[in-house]
Amino acid sequence: MTFRSGFACFVGRPNAGKSTLTNALVGQKVAITSGRPQTTRHTIRGIVHRPDAQLILVDTPGLHRPRTLLGERLNALVKDTLTEVDVVGFCLPADQRVGPGDRFIAEQMSELARDGRGTPVVAIVTKSDLVGKGKLAEHLLAVQGLGDWADIVPVSAVGGYQVEVLEKVLIGHLPEGAPLYAEGELTDEPEAVMVAELVREAALEGVRDELPHSLAVVVDEIVPRDEPAANGVPMLDVRVHLFVERDSQKAIIIGKGGARLRDVGSEARRGIEALLGARVYLDLHVKVAKDWQRDPKQLGKMGF
Ligand SMILES: Nc1nc2c(ncn2[C@@H]2O[C@H](COP(=O)(O)OP(=O)(O)OP(=O)(O)O)[C@@H](O)[C@H]2O)c(=O)[nH]1
Ligand SMILES: [Mg+2]
């Protein structure tokens, strides 16, 4: 039996379903998702283990025409990633017409084909559960006309439709080689980053307009409590800062009498406790960092 191992990277416009698909393939949540565009802000590795292969998925921020320094940095990050993987999965949501945003990415793909290593690109039609058969067929044709794809695969991460087919197709493009990660390892994300992401995911729920883009989350510390844990479960203090860009946004995040922040805290705490296997005291602080998305110094501090 030949064993294959290597990297696949998902690209696509914001909100195309890249992170949801990554989680579906890994079989566990390694990336946060939301109905708002530009949820993912760094590359996230999810690892798929099979008897005959190890597929490392690199979920990336959505590619779009940048309007801020943060946007520029995210696009540059995606482009760097593209040159380092064995196969690219270009995600195009079935419920949206092929538009300028997709053509922008298709252009980048053909550039990659010209000056890269000839990396194969698989077109993935995501969210196919949202459309009927006829519309899906139409969409597949439009996608076919958009570029030179190694394969075209319709999937639904939510319905589980064709997720295994996609997995086989991606693995088929990997080189032969030994596993790169230990068995059972599902991601190489540091715990603090996962914790920050779970808080951001909870805080994104229900906020609108530009607030999602203005929100950044940083974990200050995760420290074990000295006191003996009840029935052997360890207890952790987790201190987190939420940054927004304006005072008005701070008020929205905190809510009337702090109600909204409390909800965000209890929602995030559930996920964090599951992740860390511990009881968690979650301490959330909201701070204004004026225009951090455009400020190189502040971006650096937040890890961009
Ligand atoms: N019905 C349906 N909804 C989906 C599917 N995949 C993703 N979604 C929804 O689409 C929205 C965006 O999903 P994400 O996975 O966060 O999209 P993304 O491409 O990672 O977005 P960015 O990180 O912002 O670029 C979420 O509300 C998901 O629940 C799918 O297969 N079917
Ligand atoms: Mg994402």
Side-chain angles (χ1 to χ4, degrees):
M1 188 173 75
T2 54
F3 196 92
R4 292 180 186 279
S5 65
F7 293 82
C9 144
F10 286 151
V11 297
R13 57 163 122 146
N15 219 33
K18 302 175 290 298
S19 299
T20 308
L21 187 57
T22 301
N23 292 339
L25 284 158
V26 172
Q28 227 179 82
K29 178 156 144 180
V30 293
I32 65 161
T33 65
S34 90
R36 313 273 157 234
Q38 287 168 260
T39 300
T40 304
R41 285 185 181 157
H42 62 284
T43 54
I44 297 164
R45 286 180 186 181
I47 304 148
V48 182
H49 300 267
R50 290 294 165 260
D52 59 343
Q54 193 175 73
L55 169 66
I56 296 116
L57 295 169
V58 188
D59 179 22
T60 70
L63 266 175
H64 57 97
R65 283 181 205 282
R67 278 185 296 268
T68 62
L69 186 58
L70 174 65
E72 272 172 41
R73 293 206 175 160
L74 295 186
N75 276 12
L77 178 76
V78 177
K79 282 196 189 157
D80 281 351
T81 309
L82 282 174
T83 61
E84 292 165 1
V85 296
D86 301 298
V87 54
V88 175
F90 176 14
C91 297
L92 302 110
D95 63 329
Q96 281 180 27
R97 281 177 169 279
V98 170
D102 300 314
R103 277 191 282 275
F104 171 72
I105 299 169
E107 272 163 36
Q108 320 262 317
M109 294 297 121
S110 44
E111 245 174 64
L112 176 78
R114 268 196 303 275
D115 50 41
R117 301 179 290 145
T119 312
V121 179
V122 175
I124 305 168
V125 172
T126 54
K127 310 191 191 184
S128 62
D129 56 293
L130 293 179
V131 298
K133 277 212 172 99
K135 190 127 184 262
L136 183 60
E138 246 174 60
H139 193 76
L140 288 168
L141 276 176
V143 169
Q144 189 170 34
L146 193 63
D148 195 10
W149 316 124
D151 288 283
I152 304 181
V153 185
V155 298
S156 164
V158 167
Y161 167 69
Q162 293 239 114
V163 172
E164 270 178 45
V165 172
L166 175 64
E167 182 186 292
K168 285 210 183 88
V169 167
L170 294 175
I171 287 172
H173 290 292
L174 301 183
E176 285 181 24
L180 300 164
Y181 287 87
E183 222 179 295
E185 207 172 329
L186 298 180
T187 183
D188 66 355
E189 283 285 279
E191 270 177 357
V193 174
M194 301 265 281
V195 167
E197 288 289 82
L198 287 169
V199 172
R200 193 160 63 87
E201 184 177 51
L204 281 176
E205 189 63 46
V207 294
R208 288 179 302 129
D209 305 325
E210 82 294 346
L211 212 164
H213 301 155
S214 296
L215 183 67
V217 178
V218 175
V219 170
D220 298 322
E221 55 178 5
I222 301 177
V223 284
R225 284 214 169 175
D226 293 336
E227 55 199 85
N231 48 37
V233 184
M235 287 199 260
L236 300 172
D237 275 305
V238 177
R239 275 183 268 281
V240 176
H241 264 102
L242 290 84
F243 292 99
V244 288
E245 298 193 287
R246 281 183 290 286
D247 288 321
S248 58
Q249 296 176 329
K250 183 174 170 178
I252 294 171
I253 289 289
I254 292 174
K256 245 201 173 128
R260 195 160 180 284
L261 193 62
R262 271 198 298 280
D263 288 349
V264 168
S266 44
E267 175 65 28
R269 186 164 46 80
R270 263 197 292 278
I272 296 168
E273 288 186 333
L275 174 75
L276 302 179
R279 266 192 68 197
V280 164
Y281 293 89
L282 183 60
D283 190 18
L284 302 180
H285 285 278
V286 185
K287 247 193 184 165
V288 176
K290 231 175 169 321
D291 286 328
W292 64 263
Q293 286 188 79
R294 296 165 199 277
D295 179 348
K297 236 166 122 186
Q298 306 221 60
L299 281 174
K301 266 199 241 164
M302 290 173 186
F304 294 108

